[in-house]
Structures are given as structure tokens and as C-alpha cells.
Amino acid sequence: MAAYLVPQVLAYAAVAGLPPVAGLWAAAAALAVYPLLGSSPLLSIGPESTTALLTAVAIAPLAGGAPGRYAALAAGLALVVGVVCVLARTARLAFLADLLSRPVLVGYLAGIAVIMIIGQLGPLTGVTVEGDGATDEVVSFATRLGQTHLPTLVVGLTVLALLGLGALLAPRAPVPLLAVLLAAGAVAALGLDERGVATIGAVPAGLPVPGLPDLGLADVGSLMLPALGVAVVGYTDVVLTGRAFADRTAVPLRADRELLALGGANLASGLVGAFPVSSSGSRTALGDATGARSQLHSVVVLLAVVVVLLAGGRVLEALPRAALGALVVYAALRLIDVGEFRRIARFRRSELLLAVATVAAVLALGVLYGVLAAVGLSLLDLVRRIARPHSAVLGFAPGVPGMHDVHDLPGTEPVPGLVVHRYDAPLFFANADDFRRSVLAVADGTTPARWVLLDLEAVTELDVTAADMLCGLARELTERGVVVAVARAKRELVEDLAAGGVLETIPPERLYPTLPTAVAAYRAATGEPTGPPGPVGGGGPPAV
């Protein structure tokens, strides 16, 4: 685990725009705190690609090119993220991680991966790349291809090839560490640093001294919005990764505790002058593959990181930046899950469009606004689904107990004169008019419609807009001489119906606990035959 983590966090510090040693500081802080606060025995917390990239995007415009201010702002961002997570835990906002749907997450990670790869074009080739966004950087790189430094490119591509081969041939071996050490050895043996291959350079020895960064209140205010984005993405990553491995340990993930643990890890990272941290899916998977069953493995990794900080400076300073760039590109390529895109496309085309739209949003708007766009797209997709849900008219099918959608089973027929309408969603302002139109459409299409029975079993919520709509609908149908009744409304919904004044237009005696009792009441009131058009009498068993 330590052999994999050390070169990885060095690379992610470079992605964040900080000296590589800051990755070790962040890792040490997170590894010291998470075992005390977290609920997962496997989860690995520390520097990660998405939070590192978010840090760079958020801090670069605020730092004004001053390295000292940049480092202070990065540490301040980690502290604000930690405070946001702790406050969110206090406010019981752990459910926010569920706002990102699977297609949006897949698209978001793919967009992040593309930006990460673009960001490493310079370190991998030696070309000076400039620009404020992904598009500008690509244009800048394309116009300066002639500046490519061949030894740097060879080092980067060689390390990238070694990482790919290692993943195929020896996935449990410490290939990243071996690859960067070989690159460092090649630089030293061949004198590549004298031929222009950039290395990490001097690395401060010893452990970081905790302290608050030198920032003012205005700086803290400017970090609030980026911190919210980092917190949402980081916490979502923690919950998704933790849940993915929870089944393997039989230890359930406690989302509220993870929010507190993530907050504590970021506070510790900020106090040692590092940058925001999150969970690492690759390191968690490696821990599981090598037999980890408790957070003791994180403690051992922490000890190894401390040893590197105290005694590994001479080795670290010889590492070529192209090798770390290759590590970032390798990690980014693993974020693009082509198989998941294909699975989503097979499931539903609209879900694929949502994933692709998220990729486009991240690339066009940037990472921070891409986070907000991803949340917005998830919420928009949710509203779209419940604003126009499935509705059905129920009837009896020959030989099949219960009531069913008349379009589901051959031969299903409604009870003559009785419209049984089922709506499969909560009722609120976005679908209230759709509900009204669907009820009136089936009522107008039934000759004669003597009763309209609203099956509200699937209606779990009701807002005042929907309550007003139900009052108006009941009055309109009553004026036509149609009796309006309700079946299978849960107790909480009946209370909402009463509070919204609906039971003043639909009498309480027209509320029936089951469909059979409602059908029986209709037949008793209208003199219709007592048996349905199937073998089941008396209205049949409850609807399916």
C-alpha cells in the first residue's frame, strides 16, 4: 500500500499545483485521522485526483502567481472543506451524496479525466502549455508541438507503458513505485537532468509543523464556494467507494460518520499546510486485494510515509516530473469507464445523454461549475421523471387475481362505469397539472363514467399545489355528476388531504382502505353486477 501511495500522492500534489512533498503531508494527516473517525475498515483516505484538480482550479485565480500565497490558499481550502463537512454532519446533510445519479457520476469522472490528461501535456513533453481552460491549453499545446523535448517525452511514455503492463501482468505488485524509481535511476545514470529533463528538486526533510495558514477573512470568503464543490465531490467519492467495499467486510458504512471523518481529515491536512483530501478507490481496492481487514493497514502506511519524509528526500528529489505526469495520466485513463458508458447506453438512451452532457459541462464550464452542473443535471433528471410518471387505468384480467393496468395483461377490462386511476409518483407542483389531465382524459374516454376512483397507494407526498388541484378536480367531476373516491391512501397522506381541504370536496366516507372495498361500494351504489370479468368475485384481491 505504501509503495503504491507514495508516488501517487506526489503526483497528485503536482496536479494541485503544489510541491510534491505536500502530497506526503496530506497523506500523513489523513491517515492519522481517518482510523479514529471513519466507519470503513478498508477505505483509504488521502490525496486524490479529483480533489487535487479542484484545488488547482480554485486556487490558481486567487493566488496571483505567488507560490507562498498559493500554498496558504490551498491549506485554507482544506480547512474550509473540513468545516463544511463537520457542519453538514451536524445538520444531518449526509443525504446530499445521493444527489448525483450514476450517469452523472460516470460523466463527471470522465470529464475530470480529460482535464487531468490535458493538464499533464506539458510535464510529459516538456512543452510550455498556457491557457485558462482545457480548450486554451489544448490550443496552446498544439501550436507549440515543435518545442517537444524528446528525452522528457521518452521518460514519460516509458513510465506510462510500464504502468499499463504492470496492471496487466502484476496488478498486486508495487508497479508505480518501481516505475518512478527506475525513471529516477535512469535520470541519474544517464545524466538526463543535465539534458533538460525536469526533476522534483529539493524536498524539505522532516515532518510538517501544524499551524493556521496566513489568510484574511476576505480570503476565507472567496474559498467558500470552491469548498462546497470540493466537499460535495469528496464526500460523494467517499460514500460510493465505501459502499462498494462494505459488502466484502460485512461492516455497514455509516454515511454520517464518514462525513465527520472526511471533515477531520481535511482539517488535519489544512493544519499541516497541504490541500483537500478524499478517498482513493484504487488504494482501497489494493488494500482489499492484499488482505487488509481493518484500519491497521492505514496506520502501517502512515508509518511508512513518516519514514519517507524523514529519510527519503535524496531519492524523491531525483524523481522526474514526466514520471509523475505519466502516473496522473494513467490514473485519469482509469477514471474513464467505457464499459459503464456502454451499459448505460444499453439501459436507456436518455441516461447516456445525461452522462455525455455532464462530460460536456465539466469541459465547457470547468471543474467547479461542472460540479454544480452535475448536481443540477441530477436534480433535473429526477424532476423530469416524477413530473411525468407512469399512470394507469386498472381493471380485471380473466383468470388473474387482483386489478392490473389494462395495458399489461391481455383481456384486462375495467369495471363498466368505474375509472380506477393509479399515478406512480408523489403529487407536487411539477406534476399536479399532469395528474389532472390524465384523470380527465380517462374520465372523458369512459362512457358513461359514473365513478372516478383515485388509487393513491404510490402517492407518498402531497404539497399545497397538488392539494388545490385535487380540490378543483373533485369539484369539476362532481359538477359532471361523477362520484370521486380515493383508495389505499396511507395515514400520512390522509392527514395531508385533510389539511389541504381535499376532504371537504371528497367526503371522508369515500376514502376506502383497499381496492376491493371501493369496487364493492361502487357496485352496491350503482347496482352493477357483483362479479368482475374474471373468476374472482367480490372485487378480487388487492391490486397488483
Side-chain angles (χ1 to χ4, degrees):
M1 282 284 292
Y4 185 84
L5 175 139
V6 169
Q8 191 181 59
V9 299
L10 294 173
Y12 289 155
V15 171
L18 293 164
V21 71
L24 294 174
W25 295 347
L31 290 168
V33 169
Y34 184 81
L36 302 175
L37 301 178
S39 64
S40 170
L42 283 180
L43 203 60
S44 176
I45 298 293
E48 186 48 34
S49 56
T50 50
T51 49
L53 186 57
L54 284 166
T55 299
V57 172
I59 299 305
L62 304 175
R69 177 167 168 77
Y70 191 105
L73 286 167
L77 180 62
L79 290 173
V80 178
V81 169
V83 171
V84 168
C85 290
V86 173
L87 291 177
R89 166 63 183 87
T90 304
R92 301 183 182 276
L93 297 180
F95 69 91
L96 289 176
D98 298 329
L99 293 181
L100 295 178
S101 64
R102 182 64 182 169
V104 167
L105 282 169
V106 171
Y108 173 75
L109 291 176
I112 287 287
V114 173
I115 292 177
M116 288 173 61
I117 293 171
I118 292 173
Q120 297 307 308
L121 293 176
L124 277 174
T125 62
V127 174
T128 301
V129 178
E130 300 174 344
D132 294 331
T135 303
D136 291 343
E137 291 179 5
V138 170
V139 172
S140 174
F141 176 74
T143 57
R144 300 176 181 180
L145 276 176
Q147 300 178 5
T148 300
H149 186 250
L150 187 58
T152 299
L153 180 62
V154 170
V155 169
L157 293 180
T158 301
V159 172
L160 190 59
L162 289 174
L163 292 171
L165 289 173
L168 292 175
L169 303 178
R172 296 178 61 175
V175 175
L177 180 66
L178 296 175
V180 295
L181 288 179
L182 286 174
V187 169
L190 302 177
L192 295 180
D193 53 340
E194 298 176 359
R195 297 177 59 183
V197 176
T199 60
I200 289 178
V203 175
L207 300 177
V209 179
L212 292 174
D214 184 15
L215 297 175
L217 290 178
D219 294 323
V220 175
S222 65
L223 293 174
M224 286 302 299
L225 181 59
L228 287 173
V230 174
V232 169
V233 173
Y235 178 60
T236 301
D237 196 18
V238 165
V239 171
L240 290 176
T241 304
R243 287 175 179 170
F245 288 90
D247 292 340
R248 308 188 187 191
T249 60
V251 178
L253 191 78
R254 294 175 53 185
D256 55 347
R257 189 168 162 184
E258 291 303 312
L259 196 52
L260 180 63
L262 181 63
N266 275 283
L267 288 172
S269 181
L271 288 174
V272 298
F275 57 97
V277 297
S278 179
S279 67
S280 169
S282 59
R283 295 197 298 268
T284 302
L286 181 61
D288 177 63
T290 52
R293 288 298 177 265
S294 75
Q295 280 297 325
L296 179 60
H297 79 282
S298 292
V299 176
V300 176
V301 174
L302 170 62
L303 295 176
V305 171
V306 170
V307 170
V308 172
L309 284 168
L310 294 176
R314 295 294 299 274
V315 177
L316 294 181
E317 67 183 32
L319 295 179
R321 291 187 176 272
L324 298 184
L327 266 175
V328 174
V329 171
Y330 173 71
L333 290 174
R334 299 182 67 174
L335 290 178
I336 303 175
D337 195 338
V338 177
E340 192 67 4
F341 275 99
R342 290 174 179 167
R343 186 180 73 87
I344 292 172
R346 288 194 301 268
F347 179 75
R348 186 177 291 128
R349 186 170 298 177
S350 63
E351 302 261 12
L352 176 63
L353 292 175
L354 186 61
V356 173
T358 304
V359 176
V362 172
L363 295 178
L365 302 177
V367 180
L368 288 175
Y369 288 105
V371 174
L372 300 178
V375 174
L377 287 171
S378 287
L379 294 177
L380 183 63
D381 184 51
L382 172 64
V383 172
R384 178 186 66 83
R385 292 178 183 276
I386 61 179
R388 296 296 181 268
H390 176 263
S391 61
V393 175
L394 305 182
F396 292 101
V400 182
M403 299 190 76
H404 307 269
D405 187 336
V406 294
H407 298 295
D408 284 352
L409 297 174
T412 303
E413 294 290 342
V415 177
L418 174 64
V419 175
V420 182
H421 179 273
R422 187 182 69 200
Y423 201 70
D424 296 335
L427 276 178
F428 70 123
F429 63 91
N431 62 17
D433 194 53
D434 179 68
F435 180 90
R436 176 181 175 277
R437 287 196 304 268
S438 66
V439 172
L440 291 178
V442 295
D444 292 340
T446 302
T447 305
R450 305 172 70 177
W451 275 38
V452 169
L453 177 61
L454 304 177
D455 178 5
L456 300 185
E457 182 185 35
V459 178
T460 56
E461 295 287 341
L462 183 78
D463 70 0
V464 68
T465 303
D468 291 343
M469 176 275 298
L470 287 174
C471 292
L473 176 64
R475 283 193 293 266
E476 182 176 352
L477 290 172
T478 301
E479 290 172 0
R480 298 184 187 183
V482 178
V483 174
V484 181
V486 170
R488 301 204 290 184
K490 297 177 176 63
R491 178 179 57 81
E492 294 82 1
L493 183 61
V494 173
E495 293 174 356
D496 290 340
L497 292 172
V502 179
L503 298 188
E504 297 174 10
T505 53
I506 302 176
E509 60 267 21
R510 295 299 184 196
L511 269 61
Y512 299 100
T514 65
L515 287 177
T517 56
V519 172
Y522 165 74
R523 286 172 169 156
T526 60
E528 288 290 332
T530 58
V536 181
V544 177

